[in-house]
Structures are given as structure tokens and as C-alpha cells.
């Protein structure tokens, strides 16, 4: 996925609530980009609800909206592992959407 020229694909709301070790919104987008592999969503809108909970609303390349993906922890703040889990869940939703389109 080459989104270097399109900075609008990854949108972060509430980045001030991210734990300091995640290095802010740009780092979140970088982790997502690195782990989404072949998928190129139109928009990934990440909402940081607290240092322990993050949600992502995804719009696929074809414009369809996918289910909201939520990752959180009750016993530790978000970390790089949490963001990788978020990216994996987003990729799974994108793959399921592509499979469903193939059946239509």
C-alpha cells in the first residue's frame, strides 16, 4: 500500500489520549500502513476513546463502509501490539468485504 502521497487516508481523533510511547497520530498511521499489506482502504478513521480503547471506522476502496473495529484493554494502556491487533482486524474486515463482493 503506497499512501505516501495521500495523507488523508488515515485520520486520528483524540490522539492526545494515546500513551506517550506510541509517539502520536503519525506513528499510529505508520503502524496501520505497515500492517495492512495489500489492502488500500479509502479512509481509516481512528478514534482514541481513552489510553485503553481505540475504535476504527473503515471505508473500503470501493466506498463501502465496514463494521467498526474496536481494540482495548482493561489492564494496560494501548501499545504497539494493540495497534497491530487493530490493523489485523481492519485487514480481516477488508478481506471479508472483498470476498463478499466476489460473490455478488
Amino acid at each position: 500500500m503506497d499512501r505516501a502521497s495521500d495523507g488523508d487516508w488515515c485520520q486520528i481523533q483524540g490522539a492526545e489520549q494515546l500513551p506517550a510511547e506510541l509517539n502520536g497520530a503519525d506513528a499510529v498511521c505508520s503502524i496501520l500502513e505497515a500492517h495492512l499489506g495489500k489492502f488500500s482502504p479509502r479512509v481509516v478513521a481512528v478514534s482514541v476513546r481513552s489510553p485503553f480503547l481505540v475504535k476504527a471506522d473503515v471505508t473500503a476502496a470501493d466506498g463501502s463502509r465496514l463494521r467498526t473495529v474496536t481494540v482495548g484493554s482493561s489492564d494496560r494502556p494501548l501499545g504497539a501490539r494493540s495497534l497491530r491487533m487493530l490493523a489485523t482486524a481492519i485487514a480481516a474486515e477488508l478481506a471479508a468485504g472483498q470476498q463478499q463482493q466476489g460473490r455478488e
Side-chain angles (χ1 to χ4, degrees), residues 58-71:
V58 181
T59 303
D62 67 359
S64 63
R65 297 188 121 197
L66 306 177
R67 288 189 295 194
T68 298
V69 177
T70 304
V71 172

Side-chain angles (χ1 to χ4, degrees), residues 12-37:
I12 310 294
Q13 179 182 20
E16 66 278 358
Q17 295 187 67
L18 288 168
E21 62 270 7
L22 289 179
N23 297 318
D26 290 339
V28 173
C29 291
S30 293
I31 289 171
L32 291 177
E33 184 172 20
H35 288 87
L36 285 178

